[in-house]
Amino acid sequence: MSDPPRTFSTSTSQQKETYLNLTPAQLDRACGAVLGSAVGDALGAPYEFGSAPIGPDGPQMIGGGLGGFAPGEWTDDTTMAWCILDVAASGVDLSSADGLTAVARNFRDWYETSPPDIGIQTRNVLFEAGPNPTGDSLTATAHDFHRETGRTAGNGSLMRTAAVALPYLDDEDAVADAARKLSALTHYDPRAQEACVLWSLAIRRAIVDEEIDLRSGLAHLPADSAKFWTDHIDEAQTSDPARFTPNGWVVSALQAAWSAIAHTPELDDDPSRQFGDGLVTAITIGNDTDTVAAIAGALLGARWGAAAIPEHRREILHGYPGLRADDLVQAAQQHRHVHVRTGHVGDREQGPLQAFGLGQALTQGMVDTPLVAPVTAQIQALTAEYQWPGLLARGIASGHQRAGGDALARLLAPGALGAAAARPGAPVLRARGCPQPA
């Protein structure tokens, strides 16, 4: 099992800022979750509900499908995942009121472009909610829709889970909480919420530990729900993938994606081929091909990383709102800025990493200006033991090179960080085995 992502934190009495420090391989897998889902989506779109036959060379990004897509264009699956990723990349806690409102308004902005491929349930909820919904108002609309119809367990929230786990890779409970709330914005049915919890936690596990494990998330469900999903996961794992069609219901969609993955082996000579081979299996199932492939692609991408995704797929990948593959990767790389609601300055064992990383975060605008003074006071309290000012200064210099602007001058103003921190050449020391910042 891989080491969990390192974190460093800063806090006030109301709020803690946490920054994930992933290994390069973990960061590649985090990007792979988002990119893999988008590739699965665009690869499956031409064949949705039998729109085109799969040729002898297997599924290709030929465009067409129900939405008349261009070759390589993603559909509503990735668009709605982007609406979540966009907020995660901004640093707003996805499960907070502000985060859910930001996602809700991203959804509604997209709805107002009259997309050709929006799901019926999602369309109804966004229409009823009206312009400028809040997270609460959109969730209330979805709740009312569920109460009135009893039929809100479509696959439309599961399909957009690629980015849900990214800000919370060090916190399974936070992943589960965000997954439930984000599902409930449009799909209030408990089964839809549970499916999102399971898949989001599986994505987290793949990114952190390099393991594909859907069952570990069962511990985050009530006992009766865990039994329900255990039976359906067992069924998917032991049955031919072709059995799971139609797959518009969230349960059958999860089963289809899981069966496709479970029945695609890791080859000894090239185990990462499971990514591409698994998407072929998922699309070959038929029915809602783009969605099943998007769901499977998120988990496969989280396991094998962006590096496993063929360049010829990435080159033509594009979609709403005028983005390309590199834009998805860039947004996924920003997810390491996380808001949580309680806590204090981070683990003293990781002091050197915290100081250097915080310096980068400060200069890149990842910590709000009002937090600078109290954060600085806490850093100074640890100065003697951990040589924080020198490390912080190195981080500030590194972040300034990336961000530019007046951040360096502001932070190095007299009294802001202290004289020792104002020396960009200050020595950087190892402490207690922590790796040297690069």
Side-chain angles (χ1 to χ4, degrees), residues 12-79:
T12 65
S13 59
Q14 289 82 28
Q15 174 174 285
K16 181 177 73 174
E17 305 279 335
T18 299
Y19 300 89
L20 300 178
N21 188 13
L22 305 181
T23 68
Q26 287 171 330
L27 184 56
D28 180 67
R29 292 196 293 273
C31 295
V34 175
L35 200 58
S37 183
V39 167
D41 180 15
L43 191 62
Y47 310 100
E48 188 178 16
F49 299 106
S51 297
I54 298 175
D57 296 328
Q60 303 295 325
M61 291 183 179
I62 58 175
L66 296 183
F69 298 102
E73 184 176 6
W74 60 65
T75 77
D76 59 333
D77 303 64
T78 303
T79 293

Side-chain angles (χ1 to χ4, degrees), residues 119-146:
I120 295 173
Q121 180 173 316
T122 299
R123 183 190 300 276
N124 288 338
V125 171
L126 291 174
F127 172 78
E128 291 293 337
N132 300 316
T134 65
D136 285 344
S137 69
L138 190 59
T139 301
T141 302
H143 173 268
D144 290 345
F145 192 73
H146 177 68

Side-chain angles (χ1 to χ4, degrees), residues 355-420:
F356 181 80
L358 178 60
Q360 288 186 316
L362 286 167
T363 45
Q364 293 181 78
M366 295 173 71
V367 174
D368 297 334
T369 300
L371 291 175
V372 171
V375 166
T376 300
Q378 294 179 60
I379 290 172
Q380 289 174 334
L382 298 174
T383 295
E385 185 176 356
Y386 285 102
Q387 305 293 318
W388 277 59
L391 288 156
L392 184 71
R394 278 286 298 273
I396 289 171
S398 172
H400 178 66
Q401 290 176 349
R402 299 184 186 185
D406 63 354
L408 186 62
R410 183 185 79 246
L411 291 167
L412 297 186
L417 297 174

Side-chain angles (χ1 to χ4, degrees), residues 213-298:
D213 176 11
L214 186 57
R215 299 174 190 275
S216 60
L218 292 167
H220 291 265
L221 302 182
D224 57 340
S225 296
K227 175 63 167 62
F228 173 89
W229 284 104
T230 296
D231 292 344
H232 284 79
I233 292 168
D234 289 345
E235 182 182 33
Q237 197 154 333
T238 57
S239 302
D240 189 309
R243 176 178 176 180
F244 301 103
T245 182
N247 36 56
W249 182 35
V250 68
V251 176
S252 57
L254 182 144
Q255 287 183 298
W258 182 244
S259 187
I261 294 170
H263 287 84
T264 303
E266 298 180 23
L267 302 178
D268 291 339
D269 60 336
D270 185 9
S272 66
R273 268 191 56 186
Q274 188 188 29
F275 173 81
D277 292 348
L279 291 185
V280 171
T281 304
I283 294 167
T284 303
I285 293 172
N287 200 243
D288 201 351
T289 50
D290 59 327
T291 294
V292 172
I295 296 165

Side-chain angles (χ1 to χ4, degrees), residues 22-36 85 162-163 165-167 169 203 206-208 298 301-306 328-329 331-333 335-336:
L22 305 181
T23 68
Q26 287 171 330
L27 184 56
D28 180 67
R29 292 196 293 273
C31 295
V34 175
L35 200 58
L85 176 62
L166 298 191
L169 294 176
I203 288 170
I207 293 170
V208 174
R303 170 60 183 91
W304 298 110
L328 298 180
V329 171
Q333 290 173 337
H335 74 271
R336 290 172 289 174

